[in-house]
Amino acid sequence: MARPFNLNDSRDRERMMRDVARVLRELRPDLMAAEHRYRSPAGFGSWAEHWTKTVAVELALEESENHHDHVGIWGAMVCRWAREQDAEPRFLSPALAQAFLQSERPLLTPSLPRELSCFRLFLPRATLFSEEGPEIRSVLVADVRAMEGWLPENFRLAGGGLACVGLGEDGATYLASCLLDPSAKAQQPEHTDFSAPHWEWDADGVKGTAARMEQLCVHALLVQLYAPELVSEGEVPPAAGAGGKGFGGKPAGGAAGKGGEVPRPVWLGKDYQLQRQPAELPDHPAGSWQRGCWRPLSPLGDPLAAPLEWVEPVLAG
């Protein structure tokens, strides 16, 4: 009899994902071809494990439809969209992740540039957890506006915006959203409406996870659009067979980038350092933050349509 998996044990989780990956390679080798396209830097979940999870979520679409599982349906569609768009990974540094969580989230509008239809945000370890406990190490971020002509006709999307699909260590799918049209929140969702407002009746605890996930994803998108100095390439990590273990990623034939090379990882804030100031004022004791924010660069008639700049948060002490 097979030994049960303990999802709190990293070795058991890795064993489970190896079993899932092996089955998917046998059943759908076409979808698993990109399993070893990238290698994750140290401190992040592996690309191979992320890819295995997204393929598993995508293939669960029919089961989700049979159970009227709107979260599963939407997660499957976003995973398929990311695969068809060849969405690339972005590795968020721990310091920049902390700064994002100490910054106000701006009001996004339909004037938001459409340059990024989808990307995969890899989070540093111990950054995001579900209320049930399992960690969420990667999130698919999709611009719903780009998906509107691609989705089936029974998908009614209120307000456009971003769809964020987090992949939990327990195999669960977590959703967050950011509407570009706030008035769409007043719309009453229908059975076939899988847009963001449909998720808001979920438990308050899941809202907390969703809000934190949304915070990280929105700032990661804005940095790529408006702060290119924080986007850089890093060195290709060594293959798993070269001293590493687990899903570090040994290249598979035909799965690497052009010329057979593994693509270099793209970082958000690779060398970023938190802004600090002495804790001299009574209203700014050591350990307190001055929150960051995004502000328009030019005083246009519609300031929300102007390019944005990031005013970084500052840590006292």
Side-chain angles (χ1 to χ4, degrees):
M1 184 174 67
R3 179 167 65 90
F5 296 109
N6 175 11
L7 293 177
N8 293 321
D9 185 282
S10 61
R11 290 174 297 181
D12 268 17
R13 287 199 306 268
E14 181 176 300
R15 183 166 63 89
M16 180 186 70
M17 292 310 302
R18 285 186 184 279
D19 288 349
V20 173
R22 183 165 52 250
V23 171
L24 290 176
R25 289 188 208 107
E26 294 174 358
L27 297 178
R28 293 300 303 268
D30 56 322
L31 297 185
M32 293 297 288
E35 180 185 6
H36 298 297
R37 178 173 296 168
Y38 296 91
R39 296 184 199 141
S40 298
F44 293 87
S46 77
W47 165 265
E49 184 174 336
H50 165 86
W51 186 262
T52 298
K53 289 178 181 178
T54 61
V55 171
V57 172
E58 178 181 345
L59 293 179
L61 174 60
E62 182 176 351
E63 181 179 356
S64 296
E65 290 176 334
N66 291 338
H67 290 84
H68 305 290
D69 175 8
H70 298 127
V71 172
I73 293 170
W74 186 239
M77 297 304 294
V78 173
C79 285
R80 178 183 169 190
W81 169 256
R83 178 177 58 81
E84 294 188 0
Q85 294 297 306
D86 205 15
E88 298 179 346
R90 296 291 183 259
F91 298 92
L92 177 61
S93 74
L96 192 57
Q98 187 176 6
F100 284 172
L101 294 172
Q102 295 297 332
S103 296
E104 301 292 339
R105 202 194 75 196
L107 175 64
L108 302 182
T109 70
S111 62
L112 184 74
R114 295 173 176 248
E115 297 173 19
L116 290 174
S117 62
C118 192
F119 64 93
R120 305 169 189 268
L121 183 62
F122 279 66
L123 303 174
R125 299 192 181 200
T127 297
L128 182 64
F129 294 87
S130 70
E131 272 66 20
E132 293 79 10
E135 188 172 356
I136 301 171
R137 292 187 177 172
S138 59
V139 188
L140 299 176
V141 185
D143 187 335
V144 176
R145 297 173 299 176
M147 300 173 65
E148 288 175 346
W150 174 86
L151 289 167
E153 292 183 357
N154 65 325
F155 277 68
R156 296 201 315 103
L157 298 170
L162 304 180
C164 308
V165 178
L167 304 174
E169 289 295 281
D170 58 346
T173 301
Y174 299 87
L175 299 181
S177 66
C178 179
L179 294 177
L180 300 183
D181 180 6
S183 64
K185 288 182 178 291
Q187 296 185 12
Q188 180 68 28
E190 299 178 0
H191 176 70
T192 56
D193 181 359
F194 304 126
S195 57
H198 193 91
W199 315 330
E200 292 188 355
W201 44 253
D202 209 347
D204 289 340
V206 177
K207 284 186 180 179
T209 295
R212 188 176 175 90
M213 182 163 65
E214 181 183 343
Q215 179 85 350
L216 293 164
C217 293
V218 167
H219 287 289
L221 171 65
L222 294 178
V223 159
Q224 293 178 80
L225 292 175
Y226 298 119
E229 67 277 7
L230 292 175
V231 183
S232 62
E233 289 186 340
E235 296 300 320
V236 177
K245 293 182 179 181
F247 279 88
K250 53 185 178 181
K258 295 181 180 179
E261 299 179 356
V262 176
R264 296 164 66 91
V266 176
W267 283 84
L268 303 182
K270 183 177 185 299
D271 301 314
Y272 180 79
Q273 295 184 357
L274 293 172
Q275 301 298 307
R276 299 175 183 270
Q277 69 178 13
E280 298 175 346
L281 301 177
D283 55 344
H284 291 292
S288 65
W289 287 91
Q290 293 183 28
R291 302 272 292 174
C293 66
W294 289 88
R295 65 186 181 190
L297 277 171
S298 59
L300 300 177
D302 177 9
L304 297 177
L308 302 176
E309 67 173 350
W310 184 37
V311 179
E312 301 173 44
V314 180
L315 177 62

